[in-house]
Amino acid sequence: MLYHIKVLVFLKDGVLDTQGKAVLGSLHRMNYTDLKDIRIGKYLQLWVEASDEDTARNRVKAMCSDLLVNNLIEDYTIEVDELS
Amino acid sequence: MLYHIKVLVFLKDGVLDTQGKAVLGSLHRMNYTDLKDIRIGKYLQLWVEASDEDTARNRVKAMCSDLLVNNLIEDYTIEVDELS
């Protein structure tokens, strides 16, 4: 079966988000002063062929730890949808 | 009130995701051949001060259209949580 898996990758609390700070500054200069903070992460959509949902989830966890996520500074959440 | 708003930004269907293709190639070389495709977008977390949820959502939509999202090639979804 094909599974559609959404992974949200975000910096851990306390890790400086330099990209976010730059964007925050830009938006403040554009008068969006009601914006108090912004943090920027990655949204990954994966399509994985697997026999069941647990297998798909575990494969994606392995990909995250092997390549997609830097677990020194990032955390992630996984959401799985069955497609077919 | 402070609202925590999550924005998922992703490439429109049909727009080539060069970063995704590069990562797909890397994962295939690492024997993750059960991965059929991957698309890479942005996960933005914003904290916005507003009188109500609709106002917060509309301010974030304005920021997306002014700076955060390139609406020629990207789409986005918004999810709002009330914090205080």
Side-chain angles (χ1 to χ4, degrees):
Chain A
M1 288 205 281
L2 190 63
Y3 291 88
H4 179 215
I5 294 143
K6 299 173 187 171
V7 180
L8 298 181
V9 184
F10 46 92
L11 289 169
K12 289 182 180 177
D13 284 349
V15 176
L16 180 66
D17 179 1
T18 52
Q19 189 184 5
K21 290 299 174 225
V23 170
L24 182 68
S26 295
L27 286 167
H28 281 178
R29 283 189 293 279
M30 296 164 77
N31 290 320
Y32 289 109
T33 50
D34 45 351
L35 178 65
K36 298 309 165 191
D37 201 7
I38 178 169
R39 284 176 82 78
I40 299 180
K42 285 179 289 187
Y43 169 44
L44 312 175
Q45 298 183 77
L46 297 90
W47 288 264
V48 173
E49 189 73 43
S51 53
D52 57 65
E53 182 174 326
D54 276 354
T55 306
R57 185 182 293 270
N58 285 332
R59 288 295 279 173
V60 170
K61 282 184 183 173
M63 292 179 216
C64 285
S65 104
D66 279 355
L67 184 76
L68 299 173
V69 175
N70 178 348
N71 70 4
L72 286 176
I73 58 168
E74 293 173 327
D75 269 328
Y76 65 97
T77 62
I78 293 182
E79 184 186 309
V80 180
D81 298 325
E82 185 179 317
L83 286 183
S84 61
Chain B
M1 288 206 279
L2 190 63
Y3 291 88
H4 178 215
I5 294 143
K6 299 173 186 170
V7 181
L8 298 181
V9 184
F10 46 91
L11 289 169
K12 290 182 181 178
D13 284 350
V15 175
L16 180 66
D17 178 0
T18 52
Q19 189 185 5
K21 290 298 174 224
V23 170
L24 182 67
S26 295
L27 287 167
H28 280 177
R29 282 188 295 278
M30 296 164 77
N31 290 319
Y32 289 109
T33 49
D34 46 351
L35 178 66
K36 298 308 167 193
D37 202 6
I38 177 168
R39 284 176 83 78
I40 299 179
K42 285 179 287 187
Y43 169 45
L44 312 175
Q45 297 182 80
L46 297 90
W47 288 264
V48 173
E49 189 73 42
S51 53
D52 57 64
E53 180 173 328
D54 276 354
T55 307
R57 185 182 294 269
N58 286 332
R59 289 294 280 173
V60 170
K61 282 184 183 172
M63 293 179 215
C64 285
S65 102
D66 279 354
L67 184 76
L68 299 173
V69 175
N70 177 349
N71 70 3
L72 286 176
I73 58 167
E74 293 173 328
D75 268 328
Y76 65 97
T77 61
I78 292 182
E79 185 187 309
V80 180
D81 297 325
E82 185 178 319
L83 286 183
S84 63

